[in-house]
Amino acid sequence: TEDEIPFCTLRPIALPGEREMPKEVYEEVSEVYLSRQNTVPQDRSIDDEEQACLFFSDGHWFIEDRSRNNSTFVHAGAGIKLEPGDIIKMGDRLFEFNTETRKK
């Protein structure tokens, strides 16, 4: 509804021996650029400049690969519509994508 703000979350899936990591929350904005710094800073397989871009359009979240090595995957190439529970691979790291809304 009009009085709700859409947002999404990305939760890094812990590797064996790692502690569970907190999810990051992203509110509806024009574009969110994902990199090593704002995902998993110690994971050198994620680009340090720009790995991917999350964006909200026409009521849906999308992701677009922006990495130097084309190393962001969901199920296909550019401008992928994301669904709750999708697993995104950036570098060697997996992330679980989800959506929610909250009152303005």
Side-chain angles (χ1 to χ4, degrees), residues 34 52-55 61-65 72 74 77-80 82 88:
L34 302 171
C53 177
L54 278 176
F55 60 96
W61 286 94
F62 294 83
I63 191 165
E64 185 173 88
D65 182 38
T72 301
V74 178
I80 299 302
L82 295 170
I88 299 166

Side-chain angles (χ1 to χ4, degrees), residues 46-74:
I46 299 171
D47 274 357
D48 58 346
E49 293 177 11
E50 195 175 330
Q51 177 73 36
C53 177
L54 278 176
F55 60 96
F56 190 81
S57 178
D58 296 324
H60 299 283
W61 286 94
F62 294 83
I63 191 165
E64 185 173 88
D65 182 38
R66 299 280 180 93
S67 64
R68 289 185 293 260
N69 298 323
N70 297 323
S71 60
T72 301
F73 302 95
V74 178

Side-chain angles (χ1 to χ4, degrees), residues 28-40:
E28 171 195 2
V29 293
S30 57
E31 294 181 326
V32 176
Y33 296 97
L34 302 171
S35 68
R36 184 182 317 148
Q37 284 73 25
N38 67 355
T39 57
V40 183

Side-chain angles (χ1 to χ4, degrees), residues 12-26:
I13 297 173
L15 297 174
E18 284 184 332
R19 290 191 309 240
E20 191 68 27
M21 289 180 252
K23 65 185 176 186
E24 290 291 328
V25 177
Y26 304 100

